[in-house]
Amino acid sequence: MQRPIKAYIDLPALTHNLLVTRHYVPDAKIMAIIKANAYGHGLLHTAHALRNADGFGLLELEAAICLREAGFRHPILLLEGFFSTRELALLEKYRLSTVIHHDEQLAMLSGCNHRELDIFLKINTGMNRLGIASERFPSVIKQLSGNPAVSQVTLMTHFATADGTTDNTQFHKQLQVFDQITGSTPMPCTLANSAATIRYPEAHRDWVRPGLMLYGASPFAAHRGVDFKLKPVMSLTSKIIAIQHLKQGDIVGYGGSFQTDRPMCIGIVACGYADGYPRHAPTGTPVLVNGYRSRLIGKVSMDMLAVDLTELPNIPINSTVTLWGNGLPVEDIARAADTISYELLCALPTRVELEILQEESQSSTTRICVESK
């Protein structure tokens, strides 16, 4: 029999979250970010649920080609660009847009024989990750404008601190740098990630690039997705496969890091760090058991973890355990485990089955075929 752990993917929630994003940016186009297998949610069914977005952004050339072959005609942007001249022919063939962020890419582009390539020029405004130096912007724009391979150029940057809680000095500094060097250049722009989409309307420009918010989670550490009317898309669930009745002084799990101070009842759940649950989640991390809020106890092992059943009523073997999702925001787990919700969603491994929830009508939701990750 199959292990009971599953990740349910709620496609109507994706569609809802796209509509929420539209509310924030009524005058900008939305490039839905679906990199990393759509943040662990599955590429193709996620793209179908987000088909009303204006474009898609991802890193993997193979995934971009997969979208084209599945019939998607949206603009598709490779966020890290291309890595060899051989890939330029595929960009032309499949009409893929590409980021340019360093001189080697410029050199490959200037020596190619391809045409009608859509370029997004990334400018380093202070994050110091990808992008050409701001002082080189005029010369690079001149080089691109004179290149017959280039069809259109869109200007872009990425903010380092748009998700910050208080001090927005760095954000405004980056925005000022971008505006100073590009202000007189009549080209479309894309600046805003999820955090800037929500918090900084001045950064919306022509395109926004939301990622995490589309999957129902908040980009801000002090908030949950529900605070912005977002719905969780992924619910990671499993079942209790064993129950242990413990005496005072008994230990739980590897290392004996948890010792009972009274008689306790614990449930063993078929979920561990090999299933994408954070190994460093401490005792007290919240879980839901048959809809009742409880807590993780002891250390997370590869395939199992323990939850406290002592105060819960009549919990039998095979009871459903929600690790995150509906009723238990992924942000709560990330906060308890001192990580971010991005990591939890993206870390879902292939051994966890995805079960896709798709709305058939306004009044019913049904489970359809499982898509392999």
Side-chain angles (χ1 to χ4, degrees), residues 106 130 135 149 158 164 169 211 241 257-259 303 306 324 334 370:
L106 285 167
L130 297 181
E135 61 269 18
H158 196 66
T169 303
I241 61 172
S257 61
F258 181 88
Q259 187 173 33
D303 309 303
W324 64 68
V370 172

Side-chain angles (χ1 to χ4, degrees), residues 12-68:
L14 272 168
T15 303
H16 167 85
N17 295 338
L18 179 61
L19 290 173
V20 172
T21 306
R22 290 274 185 213
H23 172 76
Y24 281 102
V25 290
D27 300 319
K29 295 179 181 178
I30 295 174
M31 180 170 291
I33 303 304
I34 55 173
K35 62 182 178 178
N37 195 29
Y39 286 47
H41 292 68
L43 178 69
L44 285 180
H45 52 253
T46 295
H48 279 290
L50 297 175
R51 60 189 175 275
N52 288 328
D54 302 290
F56 295 111
L58 38 66
L59 271 69
E60 309 87 352
L61 178 58
E62 296 82 1
I65 293 173
C66 179
L67 288 180
R68 280 286 183 254

